[in-house]
Amino acid sequence: MSDFLKKKWDRILSWEVANYPLSMIRKKELHDLSFEEFETELDKMAHDYHGNRYRS
């Protein structure tokens, strides 16, 4: 596995620990994005999740 792919995979696993488990389909969708889009999407998903989770 290339370092680039390993970096994405490690980032997905870390994101899941901090947020919630992702389906394999969603992981594949994320993996197909460019690295910039990938990072942006993970940040957006975390923001949305935490905004909904901690909303009173």
Side-chain angles (χ1 to χ4, degrees), residues 8-54:
K8 272 188 170 180
W9 187 250
D10 288 343
R11 181 76 169 95
I12 288 172
L13 294 177
S14 295
W15 189 93
E16 288 182 307
V17 169
N19 296 284
Y20 60 90
L22 298 172
S23 69
M24 286 305 292
I25 293 170
R26 187 65 178 131
K27 289 177 188 178
K28 171 72 170 108
E29 291 169 351
L30 289 168
H31 204 273
D32 290 341
L33 297 173
S34 71
F35 198 76
E36 185 176 306
E37 292 171 323
F38 170 79
E39 288 288 329
T40 301
E41 185 63 19
L42 286 182
D43 289 343
K44 179 185 173 299
M45 289 170 27
H47 183 272
D48 292 346
Y49 173 68
H50 289 283
N52 291 330
R53 181 176 180 196
Y54 298 114

